[in-house]
Amino acid sequence: KSLNEGWLPDWDNGEYDKYYPWFKMSSSGFRYDGYGLRVSGSAVGSRLCFKSSELARYAGEQFTDVYRKFMIIE
């Protein structure tokens, strides 16, 4: 929320892209693996997303442990 500086994704507006960190789970562990792009026409539903690829990359690299705890059931 703070990284997006108040920006909220409008899933009904295809004019603006939405970005999210992409992670990889393997035998070596959970790690940041890049970022993805979804437009409002996506069928994947709502997710934690960012207004730019740079913010998605930063969040994925900086907060990998937080994402791991959020995404993995332990």
Side-chain angles (χ1 to χ4, degrees), residues 32-74:
Y32 171 72
D33 195 44
Y35 66 89
L37 165 67
R38 292 287 183 242
V39 294
S40 62
S42 172
V44 298
S46 182
R47 49 176 87 215
L48 299 174
C49 62
F50 297 92
K51 63 182 178 179
S52 72
S53 59
E54 293 82 9
L55 286 175
R57 181 180 299 119
Y58 173 79
E61 291 172 347
Q62 187 68 28
F63 304 111
T64 303
D65 289 339
V66 174
Y67 273 99
R68 183 182 54 75
K69 289 176 186 176
F70 175 75
M71 299 174 111
I72 296 176
I73 299 171
E74 295 186 76

Side-chain angles (χ1 to χ4, degrees), residues 1 4-11 13 16-18 49-51:
K1 191 173 183 178
N4 279 324
E5 300 175 327
W7 175 84
L8 296 173
D10 180 355
W11 295 101
N13 185 346
Y16 300 103
D17 296 330
K18 292 93 176 158
C49 62
F50 297 92
K51 63 182 178 179

Side-chain angles (χ1 to χ4, degrees), residues 25-37:
M25 183 70 174
S26 66
S27 59
S28 61
F30 184 87
R31 65 179 173 87
Y32 171 72
D33 195 44
Y35 66 89
L37 165 67

